[in-house]
Amino acid sequence: MNFDQVNDFKIEPVFVANLAYFNIPANRLIDDGGTNVYPDVRDFDVFKEKFFTERLKKAEFDFEVENNINRAFVLNMLLLNDQNEVLQTISFTVPSYKGTPNVIKISYRSF
């Protein structure tokens, strides 16, 4: 056993935070056969802090979506930079409501 390995051991903190919550009323989703866009742009200034820019190693996103309308849809989450350019697109299908609880949980890991 090499006990000198303990000298290389480094503990780094993990932070967990709720970043966003939004509610889209069913009447805002128009079933016209086209692409419907419901923009909800949020500024997350916390990621601009020097603390994060120097230390952030990975980000994990956990989404929870509840659909209580009888129509399925695709949810596209666009992660933008400060120039509003798309850095990453996260897409998932949300099934239609069938009369029972319909909560979809998605985990996305970005390394």
Side-chain angles (χ1 to χ4, degrees):
M1 298 187 87
N2 181 356
F3 290 105
D4 290 331
Q5 291 176 348
V6 75
N7 295 330
D8 297 329
F9 184 69
K10 186 175 178 182
I11 296 176
E12 295 181 359
V14 173
F15 296 94
V16 177
N18 289 328
L19 297 178
Y21 172 84
F22 57 90
N23 185 17
I24 302 172
N27 64 358
R28 296 293 305 257
L29 299 174
I30 302 166
D31 191 8
D32 63 359
T35 301
N36 300 299
V37 177
Y38 184 85
D40 187 12
V41 177
R42 309 273 173 116
D43 287 328
F44 298 118
D45 292 334
V46 70
F47 293 119
K48 295 178 182 174
E49 297 291 327
K50 185 177 179 181
F51 176 84
F52 282 101
T53 59
E54 292 178 350
R55 293 177 176 87
L56 186 64
K57 303 273 192 243
K58 73 175 179 177
E60 297 181 10
F61 299 95
D62 293 313
F63 302 100
E64 185 173 295
V65 179
E66 181 176 7
N67 184 9
N68 54 16
I69 60 174
N70 64 354
R71 189 172 72 227
F73 57 89
V74 175
L75 181 60
N76 294 313
M77 307 286 285
L78 306 177
L79 304 180
L80 309 173
N81 65 13
D82 57 355
Q83 306 299 314
N84 284 333
E85 299 166 331
V86 177
L87 296 174
Q88 188 89 29
T89 300
I90 305 167
S91 297
F92 49 91
T93 301
V94 179
S96 64
Y97 178 69
K98 304 272 192 234
T100 59
N102 191 18
V103 176
I104 308 305
K105 294 183 180 185
I106 304 291
S107 292
Y108 179 79
R109 311 286 188 255
S110 175
F111 298 94

